[in-house]
Amino acid sequence: MKIVGFAGFAKSFLAWNLAGAVESSVIYADPRAPYRVWNRHIRIYEHWLDVKRLQPSPALVCVDHEESDVTPEVVVYGVTPDLARVQAAMRTLQQASRPTVLVLVGYEDTGVPWIFPAEFRPTLILPWDMRQATCALVGAPLTRRDPAWRVKFETLWREIQHVASM
């Protein structure tokens, strides 16, 4: 069981979609998490003890809120395409006590010049479409509705597995 925490921009969006791309995944979330209203496909748990009791254990637990009892093995850090935030994310990465994977959210990576420092290489670059990301009518994450999004998050999952094994 890999325990992945989320921080920075769009953390619920990232957690929800990663869970949608990995078979045998669950989300550990606050009962007030807004996506709970739309989600009809991914198991959500509000108590850590319930997650620990699952048999068989899930392959992935997406931790969508901070709690002192739960220590993620890897952190997925969402960054907006703003130079100041990118630099803050790079400082966070240098000071991180556990493996941290960067995701650039809100940047179209085709035909746009790279304006960020050369050493900033996020694992995943995602465009941001608020209507697609939060549509309350669909009940499923983008990774369950769109094969292109699924491939992106499967790449993120492979990177998480790689850094967790180091």
Side-chain angles (χ1 to χ4, degrees):
M1 173 168 70
K2 298 280 186 239
I3 302 170
V4 178
F6 296 82
F9 179 71
K11 66 182 191 172
S12 290
F13 169 76
L14 294 170
W16 196 43
N17 279 289
L18 182 59
V22 178
E23 295 300 321
S24 178
S25 61
V26 300
I27 295 178
Y28 175 61
D30 186 304
R32 298 168 303 221
Y35 68 83
R36 292 177 59 87
V37 175
W38 335 310
N39 177 31
R40 293 186 289 278
H41 296 277
I42 300 167
R43 295 180 297 167
I44 299 174
Y45 293 88
E46 298 169 5
H47 304 288
W48 187 244
L49 192 55
D50 292 339
V51 174
K52 291 184 71 138
R53 289 182 184 154
L54 289 173
Q55 291 300 325
S57 294
L60 169 67
V61 178
C62 293
V63 180
D64 189 32
H65 72 111
E66 292 78 25
E67 189 171 304
S68 59
D69 293 352
V70 182
T71 304
E73 297 171 63
V74 177
V75 174
V76 174
Y77 191 98
V79 185
T80 59
D82 171 89
L83 191 53
R85 298 205 189 260
V86 165
Q87 290 172 336
M90 290 171 43
R91 283 191 302 275
T92 299
L93 188 61
Q94 291 170 345
Q95 299 166 356
S97 60
R98 62 184 73 100
T100 302
V101 176
L102 297 177
V103 176
L104 183 61
V105 182
Y107 186 78
E108 199 63 52
D109 62 346
T110 54
V112 179
W114 190 252
I115 60 169
F116 308 109
E119 61 273 12
F120 176 67
R121 289 289 163 210
T123 297
L124 185 61
I125 299 172
L126 299 171
W128 184 253
D129 182 342
M130 185 61 80
R131 291 163 301 159
Q132 292 247 6
T134 60
C135 180
L137 302 175
V138 294
L142 285 168
T143 50
R144 295 253 174 121
R145 294 182 274 139
D146 184 335
W149 281 81
R150 185 174 188 85
V151 168
K152 288 177 182 274
F153 278 86
E154 286 171 345
T155 300
L156 177 61
W157 175 233
R158 283 191 299 276
E159 180 64 16
I160 288 168
Q161 291 174 305
H162 174 72
V163 300
S165 66
M166 295 177 142

